[in-house]
Amino acid sequence: MAASGGKHRVVGGVVKQITKTNFSASLPEMKAHLDSCDFVAVSSQKTGDFGASSSQRHPWRRVLPIDTPETAYLKSKLAAESFELLQFAICPFRLEGSKVVAFPYNFHLFPRDELNIGMPSYSFSCQTSFLTSMAREQFDFNRCIYDGISYLSRVQESLAKERIPTPQVLQASSCASPSVADSIFVGRIKSRVEHWRKACKEPNNSADGSLVNSLRKLILGAETFGSRPCLSIDVCSDRQVQLVLEAVTLISDDLVPLVIPDKADGSKAVRVVIACSDEDKNLLMSEIQNAEDEQNLKVRGFREVIDLISASRKPVISYNCLHDFTYIHSKFLAPLPPTLHEFMCSLRLVFGNVLDVSHLLKEISPLRKAKNIPAALSYLKRQFFVPVELETPLQAESNCNENHGRNVLRITQLFAKLNCLLKVSPDCQPLSGQQNMGIEEYANIFYPTCTGLQEREDENIGTLIDSPRKVSTCNLVFLWGFGGTSATKLKRRLESSHSIFSEDFELQLLDSSCAVLVFWRSGVAEELLREFGSGSSALASLTSEGVKAAGFDAYKKVCRLGLWDADLAYSLENVLTESTTVPFTPSHVYWSNEVMLDLNDL
């Protein structure tokens, strides 16, 4: 999430701050806005990011310009499993000509084990640069920890429901071919319930005294459900549950059976409640449903918002979707699958159309070099006439001056401007006199976005990156064992070591131990790898010092095996010693000088 720097103009508008205190009350309002909107923008604030700084211990774990979508996904997966979300902003909005009507909400989150079931409380990593930036924005960590909204993923919710017994009203289903034992069991239960019901319906005889009445209740096994009398019947199987339900329905309409699962071993109980009238029975059913809804909301927590966005089927707008949606999937849906293809298939089941603003920027040639959201907005303002008026009708609150969550408004504003140029239609129906593109033309395209580009903007920082050059992964060579040096010195040293380095090539450091080379003429990289593999004497000046080389397949294998906790050179050494091989399919990446490191920062 982009933090608003002191020199950068903050996008105007009220962002409603949501904590555990006002979460339940805000859901109906937010759902109404979701129903009336065209799109939903999302943004999040995390406790860290491997692309936060080039001075981290293993900077090659950033998503780099040399990463394919597959390797970028594996790095984003690592980040999502390492760091935590502390804020999640959503902004339902609709486009009305040149006006954008937006309803931004910023949810404060904290993974608290409120149900005492061991979920989702777990450890997570933090980066001091992120916490410092949040503190600079006056982030209230106390409010986050004590009043932040907890949540469970869909998978965790399923596990939680097995551990938390919740009464349910179930209809009896006829048992096919009941046995003699079934008939005896039903008769015994029917007799017991009828005797208990009769005793409850009889007027209380004060002459018997309180002791006698208490003993009668104890013998009958009577309890209370709220203010209503009830009777608990222990059962040992699902079949017995159905037999009890069948017996109860044969007695009277004023009896309401509740099935209560047992969290210990799966055995259940059926609690039979007496309603004094039809109106009281309807009230009881309503109370049971409300209690179930309240319990479900407590279990899901913030994930209720994710489910509402999913149910709305509205297109979701984000910036760097691959990075953001690995977090969303990991925290709110299920553990991340091992491959990009499985991840995309799983995500499509929840969000039909996701639009990446960074991909839309590439559709407009001059904006392909935009470094971040403010840079793109600034360039659009200077070069294109795309008037967009942002309106946020949410009522101002006491905390409306907080800047938290405003990045979602920047994403909303940027998308609205891009939409004016690209004519993206949410319902795939072009307006009269215009050629709108269906949203499917741009949806669900998750290109890697280099997370090394800082989102903590400053107007003094350059707004454009170098134009990336498309290159095949077959033209990349990873080199290590050369000792500490700068990229410039290493390139000069290579140029004087072998005639193959007279070819046009570039070199960049990925960390202090490893560099990557790109050759602009096809076939040169393969030739260099063959020279290293054969132990060519022409490379003796390098190999004698321990310099080694590998192709992109080795790098891809490092990412697939998750060998993150070491220098890249050490990880490459490990995969080269393994005998297993993985089929290598060449693909393309976009080379950019943005990946260049300064060893003084490592």
Side-chain angles (χ1 to χ4, degrees):
M1 171 178 168
S4 53
K7 298 181 180 180
H8 207 86
R9 187 178 64 84
V10 177
V11 175
V14 174
V15 179
K16 189 169 184 177
Q17 306 295 319
I18 309 296
T19 62
K20 186 170 62 174
T21 304
N22 62 342
F23 176 59
S24 297
S26 300
L27 282 178
E29 176 190 53
M30 189 204 67
K31 184 179 184 302
H33 292 152
L34 276 171
D35 293 338
S36 63
C37 77
D38 297 324
F39 303 92
V40 184
V42 298
S43 178
S44 57
Q45 175 71 50
K46 309 167 183 72
T47 62
D49 185 346
F50 289 128
S53 172
S54 62
S55 60
Q56 61 178 302
R57 183 180 177 187
H58 303 301
W60 66 274
R61 294 190 296 187
R62 297 178 298 160
V63 177
L64 302 170
I66 61 167
D67 278 308
T68 62
E70 290 76 16
T71 57
Y73 166 71
L74 294 172
K75 291 183 176 183
S76 297
K77 176 177 181 289
L78 175 65
E81 293 169 344
S82 302
F83 301 107
E84 186 54 56
L85 296 174
L86 293 186
Q87 291 183 355
F88 195 97
I90 77 160
C91 182
F93 66 95
R94 62 178 180 268
L95 305 177
E96 299 177 354
S98 61
K99 184 170 70 173
V100 182
V101 182
F103 302 91
Y105 298 82
N106 186 49
F107 296 85
H108 297 252
L109 311 179
F110 196 75
R112 189 186 307 102
D113 184 13
E114 293 185 341
L115 303 174
N116 296 321
I117 56 177
M119 297 181 297
S121 181
Y122 46 78
S123 61
F124 55 86
S125 299
C126 295
Q127 287 182 337
T128 54
S129 60
F130 273 67
L131 299 186
T132 301
S133 176
M134 294 166 68
R136 191 180 299 120
E137 295 171 13
Q138 299 180 342
F139 183 83
D140 191 339
F141 290 96
N142 282 328
R143 181 172 66 169
C144 172
I145 295 171
Y146 294 111
D147 205 22
I149 308 164
S150 189
Y151 55 84
L152 291 182
S153 70
R154 291 186 175 184
V155 170
Q156 289 171 335
E157 180 187 7
S158 299
L159 296 174
K161 286 183 175 180
E162 296 176 2
R163 304 180 187 180
I164 304 175
T166 303
Q168 293 179 315
V169 179
L170 298 178
Q171 298 296 326
S173 60
S174 59
C175 298
S177 303
S179 64
V180 175
D182 291 341
S183 300
I184 296 174
F185 180 80
V186 169
R188 184 162 54 85
I189 295 298
K190 186 171 179 291
S191 175
R192 178 184 174 189
V193 174
E194 285 177 337
H195 185 58
W196 164 75
R197 178 178 177 274
K198 182 180 178 181
C200 292
K201 289 290 186 179
E202 289 179 351
N204 195 17
N205 190 351
S206 58
D208 291 341
S210 59
L211 177 60
V212 174
N213 289 329
S214 298
L215 289 174
R216 181 184 292 112
K217 290 182 178 180
L218 181 63
I219 294 171
L220 292 173
E223 303 171 0
T224 57
F225 185 83
S227 60
R228 301 175 181 87
C230 71
L231 175 68
S232 292
I233 303 172
D234 293 331
V235 291
C236 299
S237 65
D238 290 337
R239 183 170 182 81
Q240 286 192 351
V241 170
Q242 290 301 321
L243 292 174
V244 171
L245 295 178
E246 180 183 341
V248 171
T249 55
L250 294 174
I251 298 173
S252 175
D253 291 337
D254 62 359
L255 298 178
V256 178
L258 299 176
V259 179
I260 302 178
D262 185 82
K263 61 182 179 179
D265 55 7
S267 62
K268 299 177 177 66
V270 178
R271 185 171 295 170
V272 184
V273 185
I274 297 180
C276 61
S277 64
D278 290 341
E279 292 77 10
D280 185 51
K281 183 177 181 179
N282 293 332
L283 179 61
L284 173 61
M285 299 295 286
S286 177
E287 290 175 357
I288 294 171
Q289 185 61 50
N290 291 337
E292 183 179 354
D293 293 342
E294 183 178 346
Q295 177 68 12
N296 289 338
L297 180 60
K298 186 177 181 180
V299 169
R300 289 191 294 267
F302 171 75
R303 211 202 71 237
E304 181 76 12
V305 175
I306 301 299
D307 290 346
L308 288 174
I309 296 174
S310 173
S312 73
R313 308 307 295 174
K314 300 298 173 67
V316 183
I317 315 299
S318 181
Y319 182 81
N320 190 1
C321 284
L322 182 62
H323 192 55
D324 281 350
F325 278 84
T326 47
Y327 275 87
I328 292 173
H329 194 292
S330 173
K331 310 303 180 187
F332 309 127
L333 303 180
L336 287 163
T339 66
L340 175 63
H341 176 72
E342 293 174 277
F343 164 71
M344 294 298 296
C345 290
S346 176
L347 193 66
R348 286 293 297 272
L349 297 175
V350 183
F351 303 103
N353 290 310
V354 177
L355 282 84
D356 195 332
V357 171
S358 61
H359 168 62
L360 296 180
L361 291 174
K362 294 179 174 64
E363 295 294 305
I364 302 174
S365 182
L367 288 172
R368 291 179 182 176
K369 298 191 293 181
K371 187 174 183 178
N372 46 45
I373 296 173
L377 286 170
S378 177
Y379 189 86
L380 282 170
K381 183 178 180 180
R382 295 195 310 268
Q383 301 296 331
F384 295 89
F385 180 70
V386 279
V388 169
E389 178 187 355
L390 186 64
E391 178 182 321
T392 55
L394 284 177
Q395 294 294 319
E397 297 182 345
S398 59
N399 57 0
C400 66
N401 293 323
E402 294 184 8
N403 291 328
H404 306 302
R406 291 190 181 273
N407 195 53
V408 78
L409 284 175
R410 294 190 184 97
I411 294 174
T412 299
Q413 186 178 40
L414 177 57
F415 173 79
K417 289 178 176 290
L418 294 174
N419 182 69
C420 289
L421 301 174
L422 298 174
K423 306 297 182 185
V424 180
S425 174
D427 53 8
C428 303
Q429 295 180 357
L431 303 175
S432 58
Q434 296 183 1
Q435 292 185 346
N436 286 25
M437 297 292 290
I439 204 166
E440 287 79 7
E441 298 290 331
Y442 302 106
N444 306 313
I445 301 174
F446 288 9
Y447 286 132
T449 299
C450 180
T451 56
L453 306 181
Q454 285 296 310
E455 284 297 324
R456 281 147 179 76
E457 305 88 357
D458 190 313
E459 288 184 344
N460 293 328
I461 297 177
T463 58
L464 299 179
I465 62 173
D466 293 335
S467 298
R469 296 177 62 178
K470 187 176 182 180
V471 58
S472 170
T473 53
C474 292
N475 292 354
L476 299 180
V477 174
F478 293 81
L479 212 65
W480 67 94
F482 45 78
T485 183
S486 68
T488 302
K489 293 179 179 178
L490 179 58
K491 186 176 182 181
R492 291 174 182 169
R493 179 182 168 191
L494 293 176
E495 288 172 340
S496 61
S497 65
H498 193 284
S499 60
I500 201 170
F501 293 108
S502 61
E503 296 281 349
D504 185 16
F505 77 99
E506 292 185 24
L507 180 149
Q508 297 176 357
L509 293 177
L510 300 179
D511 63 9
S512 60
S513 70
C514 185
V516 59
L517 288 70
V518 59
F519 290 91
W520 298 115
R521 185 168 69 84
S522 298
V524 179
E526 290 93 331
E527 181 182 347
L528 178 61
L529 291 174
R530 283 195 299 269
E531 291 277 313
F532 269 100
S534 64
S536 172
S537 58
L539 291 171
S541 61
L542 295 176
T543 56
S544 61
E545 297 179 13
V547 177
K548 297 182 180 180
F552 191 86
D553 54 337
Y555 172 72
K556 185 176 180 180
K557 190 174 181 181
V558 165
C559 297
R560 183 178 58 83
L561 294 177
L563 305 179
W564 308 111
D565 298 324
D567 291 338
L568 182 53
Y570 183 81
S571 298
L572 288 169
E573 286 273 9
N574 282 342
V575 300
L576 289 182
T577 58
E578 292 189 1
S579 58
T580 57
T581 59
V582 178
F584 174 61
T585 303
S587 55
H588 290 88
V589 295
Y590 290 86
W591 181 272
S592 169
N593 288 330
E594 283 295 305
V595 75
M596 184 73 76
L597 300 181
D598 185 347
L599 285 183
N600 292 327
D601 293 334
L602 296 178

